[in-house]
Amino acid sequence: MNIFMHELKAYRKSTIIWSISLMAIVMLYMSFYPSFVKDSEQFMKIMEGYPEAIRNAIGVNLGNFFTILGFYCFPLTFVTLCGAIQAMNLGTSIVSKEVREKTADFLLTKPVTRTTVLTSKLLASLISIFITNIFFWAAASFIMQQVKTDDFSFKLFMLLSLTVLFVQLMFLALGIMLSVLMKNIKSVLTVSLATVFAFYFLGMFFDTSGEEAKRYISPFKYFDTTYIMNHSSYETSFLIAGAVIIILATAASYFVYAKKDIHSV
C-alpha cells in the first residue's frame, strides 16, 4: 500500500497536466463546431481536397462530419494520440525509473515481493489514467451540451469517448513490457514518443493500402469511429485483439520482472 500511495503521489502533477491538456483540446476544438456548421459548404469543399487517408487519420468522415458526434471524432483523434503518449510514458517509467534513479536495489530489499511492487505501480498508473479520462469525459460532455444544434445519442458519445481509455490501456501494457525488457531507458519521453508516433504513422500508412488485416498492427486503428457511428458498437475482432495485447503484454511483464536481474548501485 505504501508503494501504491507513493507512486500515486508521484504521478499527481503529471495527471493534472494531462487532464487539463485533454480537456483543453476537446473544449477548444468543439467550440468551433457552430462555425463549421454555419459554413458547412465551404468547409466541405476544403475537406474534399484532402486525400481520404489523411481525412481518416484525423477522424474526418464527410458523411457525418457536420453532425456534432461526427465533428467530435475530429478532436478525439488528437485526444487519443495525447492519451497514448501519457499511457506509454507511465508504463515505460514503471520499472525504468527505479534503475535510472538507482533506487531499484533499495526498493527490492523491502519485505514485499516483486509481484507486489509491480502491481502497486500498475494500479497507480491505472488510477492516473482513469482520473484523466473522467475529467476528459466531463469536459467533453459539458462543451457538447453547450454547442449542440440537435440532440445526440449519449450512448454513441460514450462509445466514442471510451476508445481513448482502451487505446491507453494497450499502450500502458506495451510500455510496461518495454520497461522490464530494456536494461536502461535513459529518456522515458523519447521512447514513449517514438513508439506512439511509430504506431500512429503506421496506422496512417495502412489507411492508404486498404488492407483490413494491417489494421491489427496499430492500436490506433482498432476503433473505427465511422463503424462505431453506424453500428453503435465496436468491432468484436479488434476488441478481442486489444484485450489479448493487454493481457499478454502484462503477463509477460510480470514473468520477466520476477526473474530479471536488478543491478545494485
Side-chain angles (χ1 to χ4, degrees):
M1 182 58 72
N2 288 336
I3 298 173
F4 169 74
M5 294 304 298
H6 178 271
E7 292 296 315
L8 201 58
K9 185 177 180 181
Y11 295 146
R12 181 174 56 190
K13 183 178 179 180
S14 67
T15 302
I16 293 173
I17 292 173
W18 282 109
S19 297
I20 293 174
S21 299
L22 299 194
M23 290 167 65
I25 291 172
V26 72
M27 294 189 77
L28 175 64
Y29 277 95
M30 290 307 300
S31 66
F32 297 146
Y33 175 68
S35 299
F36 271 76
V37 173
K38 185 178 179 180
D39 300 319
S40 59
E41 291 185 5
Q42 293 182 353
F43 285 115
M44 180 70 79
K45 292 178 182 178
I46 295 173
M47 290 299 175
E48 286 175 346
Y50 287 91
E52 185 178 358
I54 299 298
R55 294 201 303 264
N56 291 338
I58 60 176
V60 174
N61 184 290
L62 295 181
N64 54 35
F65 184 63
F66 295 101
T67 65
I68 190 165
L69 287 176
F71 187 82
Y72 176 59
C73 295
F74 177 49
L76 193 65
T77 301
F78 301 107
V79 170
T80 304
L81 179 61
C82 292
I85 295 172
Q86 178 198 15
M88 191 73 193
N89 200 54
L90 285 170
T92 308
S93 66
I94 277 182
V95 174
S96 64
K97 71 176 181 179
E98 304 296 345
V99 176
R100 187 173 59 257
E101 296 172 5
K102 304 184 187 305
T103 58
D105 54 341
F106 170 76
L107 178 63
L108 295 178
T109 58
K110 299 297 181 181
V112 291
T113 64
R114 292 192 181 192
T115 299
T116 301
V117 171
L118 191 57
T119 301
S120 298
K121 289 173 171 287
L122 176 58
L123 287 175
S125 298
L126 288 172
I127 293 297
S128 176
I129 288 174
F130 280 120
I131 289 173
T132 301
N133 276 273
I134 289 170
F135 279 101
F136 161 66
W137 295 334
S141 179
F142 172 78
I143 190 64
M144 290 183 71
Q145 291 292 341
Q146 302 307 308
V147 303
K148 68 178 183 179
T149 55
D150 295 300
D151 289 334
F152 61 92
S153 169
F154 188 76
K155 176 187 175 182
L156 267 179
F157 165 72
M158 285 306 301
L159 285 173
L160 291 168
S161 300
L162 281 170
T163 61
V164 178
L165 175 60
F166 294 147
V167 171
Q168 282 185 301
L169 293 178
M170 283 188 276
F171 276 102
L172 177 65
L174 291 173
I176 298 171
M177 188 171 67
L178 278 181
S179 184
V180 299
L181 289 176
M182 298 177 71
K183 289 185 177 180
N184 186 15
I185 300 178
K186 294 182 179 180
S187 175
V188 168
L189 185 59
T190 301
V191 173
S192 300
L193 288 174
T195 305
V196 170
F197 278 106
F199 278 114
Y200 184 75
F201 287 118
L202 278 174
M204 289 181 64
F205 174 75
F206 296 148
D207 269 338
T208 62
S209 69
E211 295 183 35
E212 188 76 5
K214 289 184 177 180
R215 285 178 56 197
Y216 288 97
I217 298 175
S218 174
F220 289 107
K221 294 297 157 184
Y222 279 34
F223 300 97
D224 183 1
T225 54
T226 301
Y227 181 92
I228 296 172
M229 293 276 288
N230 292 335
H231 298 85
S232 298
S233 65
Y234 302 126
E235 294 173 88
T236 305
S237 60
F238 287 97
L239 200 60
I240 293 173
V244 169
I245 289 174
I246 295 169
I247 293 169
L248 290 182
T250 305
S253 300
Y254 273 93
F255 179 78
V256 174
Y257 187 64
K259 299 179 178 296
K260 185 177 182 180
D261 291 331
I262 304 295
H263 298 288
S264 60
V265 178

